Amino acid sequence: MAGPRVVIIGAGVVGAALADEISARGWTEVTVVDQGSLPVTGGSSSHAPGLVFQTNPSKTMTELARYTVEKFCSLDVDGKPCFLQVGGLEVATTPERLAELHRRHGWITAWGIEARLLSPEECVRQHPLVNRDRILGGLLVPTDGLANAVLAVEAQIRRATERGVSFLARHEVLDVTKGEGRVTGVLTDRGEIPADIVVCCAGIWGSKIARMVGMNLPLTPLAHQLAWTGPIPALAGQTEEALRPILRHQDADLYYRDRFDRIGIGSYGHRPMPVSADDILSVDEAEGMPSVLKFTEEDFEDAWTETRSLLPATKEAKVEEGINGLFSFTTDGYPLLGESPDVKGFWVAEAVWVTHSAGVGRAVAEWLVDGYCSSFDLHECDVNRFEPHQLSPEYVLARDCRNFVEVYDILHPLQPSGEPRPIRTSPFHARQREHGAFFLEANGWERPQWYEANASLVEGRSVPTPNDWAARYWSPIVGAEAQVTRETVALYDMTALKRLEVSGPGGAAFLERLCTGKVDKAVGSVTYTLLLDHDGGIRSDITVARLARDLFQVGANGNLDLDWFTRHLPTGGEPVQVRDITAGTCCIGLWGPLARKVLQPLTDTDFSDDGLKYFRAKRAHIGSVPVTAMRLSYVGELGWELYTTADLGQKLWDTLWASAEPLGGIVAGRGAFNSLRLEKGYRSFGTDMTFEHDPYEAGVGFAVKPDKADFIGKAALEHRQADVRRKLTCLTIDDPHAVVMGKEPVYDGDRAVGYVTSAAYGHTIGKGIAYAWLPANLAVPGTTLHIGYFDQRVEAVAAQEPLFDPTMSRLRG
C-alpha cells in the first residue's frame, strides 16, 4: 500500500473516476464507501441519460468534458463500450439561436475541438427525424456522444480494484470524525474507517455530508424530467442502441437521444423543483432509486407538444415512462472542488455531471497527490471561491433555481445574475443613484457601468455604436466617460475590489514567502506582485501596501486569495493575522490629469510628485475624512486610490465631488474603466490570465524578482522563462463597429490558433482592442490575424503594448 489513508464517500461516476485516477498515481490505501449497491448506487449517475456535449463558454469545463470523452472511449465492460461516439447536434429554430450557435461554434473552436456549422438540410441528413421546416441550421461536434454512466462506474471500479482500492457497498455514512482541526475517519453504520483524507463525492447528498464537518456547500438538488417514448415506427428494426447524434433543441429547453427504436426526451422547460438533501430518501427507504422521483405528467405537456413538432415521427408514439431525476445545481453553474477551509483533509468533488466526471476525477487526483492540478485551470471550480453572502440558504436556493431555468438560455457576458438583488451596496450607492447609475453586479456589489447624468457629454464626441450583441448593457455614455477621464478627472467606485489586511510581526516574512516581488520594503511602499502555485502558474496578481512596520494592505482579486493566504499562515514563529476588511471599507479611484487640482486643496498633506511618488502610499485627511491614499491607477492616468471606512464613505464622495465638479470632473463607471485599462494593457486575473498561465507568457514577468529569497513557485519558473511558447497579445481592430466580447477564436488563415480574453473599444486611441492568447511566433507586432465573431471574421493586427502613454508620463505627471 502507498500514500495516505483516503476514504471517498460516493461510488458514483465521480467517486469511481477519482478512485481510478488516484490509484493510477500510486495512492492505493483508498476505500470507497456508498450507501447503495455497486455499480448502480441509486444516485444521479444511476439514472443519468448520458448525453455528453462538450461545448461550453468555459475553457476549463470543455477540457474536463474532452478528457471524459477520451477516457470513456477507452473503457469497456466485457466488450460493452462505455461511450457511443455518435456526435452531438444542436439545432436552431429562431434567428437568435442560430446566431448563438455561431457563438458556440466560436467557443468550441477556440478550445481546440472540431465542430461544424450545418445547413438545415445537413442537419436532417445527420438526424433524419428532425423536421426540416422547423430549423434554420445546426452545430455538429463529431466527438460528442452517449456515456453509459453505470458501465463507466463499473469499468473504473474494476481498474481501481486491481490496484488495491477497496469498495464497500451498503455502507451508510453517519459522520465524518475529526480531531485537532482535521479529519480522522468516516463513521458508517458498519463501523468506523480511519482516514487521513476524506473526499466527498456524494452528489445530491453532498451538502448533507459536508455539514458533518461544518462546511456549507452552495448546492441544491433539483428534479429534471426525462421521458421515454414507446416504439417509434420510423425506428422499427434498429438493432443498435444509438445511430443518430445526440440532439439539443435549446430554444425549447429540450434534448434527445436514441435507445434502439425509442427516443429519450429530457426537459429543462418546467418549473424548478428543488429538493433538500435531508429529504432525499435513503437507499433502503426508496421504492426504486432515491434520486428518482415520480414523473409529473402535467409538467411535461409542453415538452411533448414541442417534441412532436420538431420530431414528427414521435406523433405515432406515446410517452411510456418518465422520471423526475435529481441532479445537483450550483449558484454559478460550476462544480465544487477542493479542500474545506476549516477542516484539513476534508475535500469535496461535488455538483459534477457525467459530462465532466472523468476530467474532475483526474483534476482532483492531481491536486491531492501533487498539491496542485497541472492538467486543468480550476479557479472557476474551487469550492472556496464564494463570498459569505453567496452561501446563505436564500441566495443559494434562488440562484440554483435560476441556473436551472437558464441552463439553455442565451446569456450575454454582462447579463446580471438576477435575484436576490441588491445585496451589497457601497457607501456611495445613494449618490450613484442620484447620478442615474446603471448597475451591474460584481461579487454581489452593485457597481455602476455608466451614469445617465453624463448623457449630455456624448454630444459632439465620436463614440461609435458597436454591433447589436456588443451594444447590450452598453451606452454611448461609456465612451464619453472614458474620454472625459483622460481630459479632466473622474471618480470611480472601486469598493468591489477585495481588500485584505495582513498584520503582526511575522507579516513581512509571510508575504515574502508568497509573493514574487519584494514587499519587505520601507513603510509607504506599494508593490505590484504575483501569487504563484508550486508549478509556477499564476494564482493571482495583487498589490501590497506597507502601511506600518507590521501592517500591510493587500488589493486582492477575490475569496480565493483570502483562502490561499489563510492556508499558508505559519504554524510557528512570529505571529501573523490575515483579515478581510472589504465590508468595512470603501475606495474611490480619483483619476485624470486634473486629479491633483481636485485633491490638493482638500488636504494639508503634500500630494505633489515629491510628496507622494508613484506606487507609494500614505495616511492623510481629505477634508474631515481620514484616508489611506495609494498612488496607483488602473486607467493609466494621474491619481490615487483613496480608502476609508464605510461609515465615512459618503462624506468622502461628497467632499471629492464638490471639488471635482467645478473643474469639469465626472463620475464614471466600469464600462469606461475597462476600456481605459485595456488601452494601458493592464491584465485582469481570471479573464486574461489564470492558474494555467505563467508570468512570462502573460506579460507580467516584471513582477517576478528571481534574485529574492525563495517564494512559492520560484523553482518551477526556471524552465518556464526559457520556454515561452504562447503569449498574451494585444490586437487592434480598425472597424469601429466590430467590438468583440471575449472567448472568440483567433485565426491565422483558416487555422484557429488562439482565443480572445478581454476586449473593448479604445475610446482614446479610436480602435477596438482585444487581448488574446496566441502562439509566440504569431505574437509579433504587425501580424495580421482574424477573430471569429458569430458568422464574421474580423481583421485584427498584433500591436506593441501599451497602446496609450507608453512612456508612462501621464501616470507620473
Side-chain angles (χ1 to χ4, degrees), residues 65 69 101 149 172 279 362 386 395 414 428 457-458 590 690 776 794:
V69 167
L101 291 188
E172 183 181 359
D279 294 335
R362 177 174 180 171
F386 300 102
Y395 181 95
L414 295 178
F428 322 130
L457 299 175
V458 177
L590 178 70
T690 65
V794 176

Side-chain angles (χ1 to χ4, degrees), residues 322-353:
I323 63 170
N324 286 7
L326 294 178
F327 291 93
S328 299
F329 281 77
T330 62
T331 56
D332 58 6
Y334 292 107
L336 307 174
L337 312 179
E339 188 181 21
S340 162
D342 302 313
V343 180
K344 292 186 181 300
F346 184 82
W347 290 67
V348 299
E350 291 293 349
V352 182
W353 294 3

Side-chain angles (χ1 to χ4, degrees), residues 509-521:
F510 167 71
L511 288 168
E512 282 288 311
R513 171 68 178 147
L514 296 182
C515 296
T516 62
K518 185 171 179 57
V519 298
D520 187 3
K521 299 187 293 190

Side-chain angles (χ1 to χ4, degrees), residues 210-238:
R211 284 202 307 272
M212 295 177 181
V213 298
M215 190 177 184
N216 187 4
L217 292 184
L219 178 156
T220 304
L222 282 110
H224 156 58
Q225 290 199 304
L226 175 66
W228 294 95
T229 70
I232 296 174
L235 303 182
Q238 180 173 320

Side-chain angles (χ1 to χ4, degrees), residues 218 220 222 329-333 389-390 392-406 416-423 441 443-446:
T220 304
L222 282 110
F329 281 77
T330 62
T331 56
D332 58 6
H389 75 273
Q390 295 172 320
S392 69
E394 177 189 38
Y395 181 95
V396 170
L397 181 60
R399 289 293 172 91
D400 288 358
C401 287
R402 184 180 180 92
N403 278 334
F404 178 90
V405 170
E406 294 181 341
S417 300
E419 298 300 325
R421 276 184 72 191
I423 297 177
E441 184 185 350
N443 291 325
W445 292 98
E446 294 296 313

Side-chain angles (χ1 to χ4, degrees), residues 172-177 185-193:
E172 183 181 359
V173 174
L174 304 178
D175 198 7
V176 176
T177 59
V186 172
L187 180 64
T188 77
D189 57 354
R190 300 194 184 190
E192 184 171 353
I193 306 168

Side-chain angles (χ1 to χ4, degrees), residues 35 111 346 360 396 461 516 529 586 588 621 660 729 745 747 808:
Q35 63 177 328
W111 311 148
F346 184 82
V360 165
V396 170
R461 295 182 179 275
T516 62
T529 184
C586 58
I588 293 176
H621 282 83
T729 308
Y747 293 91
M808 304 284 280

Side-chain angles (χ1 to χ4, degrees), residues 684-703:
S684 174
F685 179 81
T687 302
D688 298 316
M689 55 189 186
T690 65
F691 292 1
E692 69 173 304
H693 305 117
D694 71 50
Y696 307 112
E697 58 191 14
V700 289
F702 63 87

